[in-house]
Amino acid sequence: MKILAIESSCDETAAAVVEDGRRVISSIVASQVEEHRLYGGVVPEIASRRHAEAIVPVVSQALEQAKLSLSEIDAIAVTHAPGLIGALLVGVNFAKGLSLSSGIPLVPTHHLRSHIASNYISNPTLEPPFMCLVASGGHSHIVLVEDYTKMKIIGRTRDDAAGEAFDKAARTMGMPYPGGIELDKVAEGGDPLAFKLPRPVVHDAPYDFSFSGLKTAVINLLHNAAQKGEELDKRDVCASFRYAVVDCLSTNFIKAAEDHNMKKLVIAGGVSANSLLRKTLSEESKKRGMDFYMPEKHLCGDNAAMVGSQGYYEFLSGNIAGADLNAYATMSIE
Ligand code: KG4
Ligand code: ZN
């Protein structure tokens, strides 16, 4: 079964063709990041306009690259939540029009479920149930994936998402948006023990995260040094901050898996590209005799191949929408 997938929830316009949820036939991603970088973050109005300009060429290219015509497509999957509402509406309305004019069924797909599904592409033998850490620019969840379309949130952030904390710390150090990627690179040359940073815990909620205090601690560290005219080694600051975030993420995640007797660990979302997170969880899972899965780096960020994968399982579970499909800025993964 061939699915044409469309993604426009944030600042990437993407389309892909995926067969049977696992084989990517084509995948096109048009990123707007250069333009948003000028403003230090995503400007929703600009994002919507760029999606409207890019959607036709991106979908056409995905079909061209797959050497398929629309008539050979079995379903159209589209991200309908969560995300920037104006951005989501571009993809949703385009997909609705395409479905209505062609008679091809329309499959609404949740953005975070799709991030999880990127793992089905990178790890062909992976099947639920498993415990998944989903960490992106807007969300940080620990999710028990009971089945392809049945999920339970075990833990979540109480304030900032992990990606957001990375981006804000990076911005304070003058790195361009989205700074998480750059911070990860700079951290490679630093000492993770150079600065002592807090490991915030949420009382009575051992699987929940809190990153805002950690973010403030690193911002204070930088500001205090600047006021004293001291120059801190950026590599050490980045390494210490990255270590603290990864420590919080992996400690709670492993605890959640152990407490739920889950031997399969999976990571997803933009932050799953983080080198230390990948390394730490590979090592910690091995020590405990657990299996660890992660998406290939090019599938960690927003793309439509993952939408095509999740869309396949949504279709099989009967999740098919009509012309009244709407977009939603927020929606639980459950
Ligand atoms: O999943 P994603 O592409 O978009 C959302 O759905 O939010 O996640 C983007 C987030 C950004 O905050 C970005 O800085 C972060 O993922 N990110 C990273 C790395 N690569 C991307 N954070 C830490 N280390 C990385 N290597
Ligand atoms: Zn995303």
Side-chain angles (χ1 to χ4, degrees), residues 77-153:
V78 65
T79 306
H80 76 309
L84 299 170
I85 190 67
L88 285 165
L89 279 168
V90 175
V92 166
N93 284 325
F94 185 84
K96 276 192 337 190
L98 210 55
S99 166
L100 206 61
S101 59
S102 63
I104 299 171
L106 180 64
V107 181
T109 308
H110 189 286
H111 183 70
L112 297 180
R113 286 187 173 197
S114 298
H115 270 300
I116 296 174
S118 63
N119 281 283
Y120 303 138
I121 299 167
S122 295
N123 308 287
T125 59
L126 175 67
E127 286 178 356
F130 53 80
M131 193 64 83
C132 188
L133 172 70
V134 192
S136 69
H139 299 84
S140 297
H141 285 348
I142 295 173
V143 181
L144 176 60
V145 181
E146 293 172 326
D147 206 341
Y148 291 102
T149 56
K150 193 165 174 243
M151 329 216 161
K152 199 168 158 206
I153 298 174

Side-chain angles (χ1 to χ4, degrees), residues 62-323:
L63 287 169
E64 252 168 56
Q65 198 182 68
K67 299 193 173 57
L68 291 169
S69 66
L70 191 58
S71 61
E72 293 167 283
I73 296 295
D74 302 298
I76 299 166
V78 65
T79 306
H80 76 309
L84 299 170
I85 190 67
L88 285 165
L89 279 168
V90 175
V92 166
N93 284 325
F94 185 84
K96 276 192 337 190
L98 210 55
S99 166
L100 206 61
S101 59
S102 63
I104 299 171
L106 180 64
V107 181
T109 308
H110 189 286
H111 183 70
L112 297 180
R113 286 187 173 197
S114 298
H115 270 300
I116 296 174
S118 63
N119 281 283
Y120 303 138
I121 299 167
S122 295
N123 308 287
T125 59
L126 175 67
E127 286 178 356
F130 53 80
M131 193 64 83
C132 188
L133 172 70
V134 192
S136 69
H139 299 84
S140 297
H141 285 348
I142 295 173
V143 181
L144 176 60
V145 181
E146 293 172 326
D147 206 341
Y148 291 102
T149 56
K150 193 165 174 243
M151 329 216 161
K152 199 168 158 206
I153 298 174
I154 303 296
R156 50 156 50 98
T157 182
R158 295 296 182 101
D159 38 59
D160 291 349
E164 193 181 353
F166 271 122
D167 293 343
K168 285 179 180 165
R171 187 159 74 178
T172 312
M173 286 181 268
M175 295 171 188
Y177 173 84
I181 302 155
E182 175 84 5
L183 190 150
D184 188 20
K185 282 190 199 136
V186 177
E188 286 298 312
D191 174 7
L193 303 173
F195 299 102
K196 217 170 155 29
L197 292 169
R199 304 287 191 270
V201 290
V202 182
H203 290 292
D204 301 326
Y207 316 126
D208 282 3
F209 307 109
S210 168
F211 293 113
S212 86
L214 182 52
K215 175 196 69 188
T216 309
V218 79
I219 292 173
N220 287 345
L221 175 76
L222 290 158
H223 284 171
N224 289 343
Q227 274 171 0
K228 287 189 218 151
E230 285 172 15
E231 180 123 19
L232 301 180
D233 189 327
K234 231 188 227 181
R235 292 169 305 178
D236 288 345
V237 180
C238 289
S240 303
F241 183 73
R242 182 178 70 166
Y243 178 41
V245 175
V246 168
D247 200 9
C248 294
L249 288 173
S250 45
T251 303
N252 293 12
F253 180 41
I254 287 171
K255 181 167 172 46
E258 282 178 341
D259 291 354
H260 290 80
N261 285 324
M262 201 46 79
K263 290 240 168 243
K264 258 189 251 179
L265 299 187
V266 177
I267 55 172
V271 178
S272 68
N274 187 269
S275 335
L276 184 65
L277 183 68
R278 294 167 85 90
K279 184 167 169 274
T280 305
L281 288 172
S282 302
E283 291 169 359
E284 294 301 318
S285 54
K286 201 181 241 172
K287 270 188 219 162
R288 291 167 173 80
M290 294 165 147
D291 293 324
F292 174 58
Y293 301 85
M294 53 192 165
E296 293 152 277
K297 281 212 175 179
H298 73 275
L299 289 174
C300 291
D302 290 346
N303 64 83
M306 66 186 195
V307 180
S309 176
Q310 183 61 28
Y312 173 70
Y313 296 105
E314 297 291 342
F315 179 87
L316 293 184
S317 77
N319 186 5
I320 295 172

